[in-house]
Amino acid sequence: MSPLIKSILSTRAGFGLTILRIVVGIIFAAHGSQKLFGWFGGYGLAGTAQWMESIGLAPGTLMALLSGGTEFFAGLALIIGLLARPAALGLTILSLVAIFSVHIHNGLFMANNGYEFALALLGGSLAVLLEGAGKLSADRAIAH
């Protein structure tokens, strides 16, 4: 196995990060399914695209597809722990865009549509990016 692939799949983390990775993955996958498919009360791709356009993220359909696809598929990757670091990188970037394009002007608290929830997900994504997928992961099984 190449050193680059081994470094992407390796993990120093234990069971705690495994739990964090799975919980954060479930949240992201659920949010992505709202954007892409309209599941769990979401608006689906067309509704999300219209909203993206309304906040200046154009073209709306492409932005909705990129954000929903990243949330959904990277969330699934986190749940199973497969290519967790690349998935976490995508989710980190997505969280930063959400914080600075939607939530930052509303302050910290969720009650005002603030950035606290996105910040918590950013923290979880960064932890996986830095530490790897944890003991119970497809990445760890492949790397060993």
Side-chain angles (χ1 to χ4, degrees):
M1 183 178 308
S2 82
L4 175 62
I5 302 258
K6 191 154 178 97
S7 69
I8 289 172
L9 298 178
S10 70
T11 182
R12 300 182 301 253
F15 294 109
L17 196 40
T18 298
I19 294 166
L20 177 67
R21 183 196 82 231
I22 292 169
V23 170
V24 168
I26 290 168
I27 293 167
F28 273 119
H31 278 267
S33 72
Q34 288 179 311
K35 288 177 178 72
L36 293 176
F37 314 119
W39 297 350
F40 308 113
Y43 297 110
L45 193 57
T48 302
Q50 185 177 22
W51 178 78
M52 293 275 189
E53 288 271 352
S54 78
I55 64 167
L57 295 174
T61 301
L62 178 62
M63 295 296 115
L65 193 57
L66 287 172
S67 64
T70 300
E71 285 180 329
F72 184 72
F73 292 108
L76 292 178
L78 287 188
I79 291 167
I80 62 175
L82 180 63
L83 297 173
R85 278 195 169 104
L89 177 62
L91 294 169
T92 296
I93 294 166
L94 184 128
S95 296
L96 288 169
V97 171
I99 288 169
F100 289 107
S101 66
V102 178
H103 302 289
I104 196 75
H105 302 294
N106 300 320
L108 175 65
F109 298 105
M110 283 177 52
N112 298 324
N113 196 29
Y115 57 89
E116 74 175 310
F117 184 62
L119 185 63
L121 291 175
L122 173 62
S125 298
L126 282 170
V128 174
L129 180 62
L130 294 173
E131 298 296 325
K135 285 199 183 227
L136 297 176
S137 66
D139 285 353
R140 186 168 189 266
I142 293 168
H144 283 89

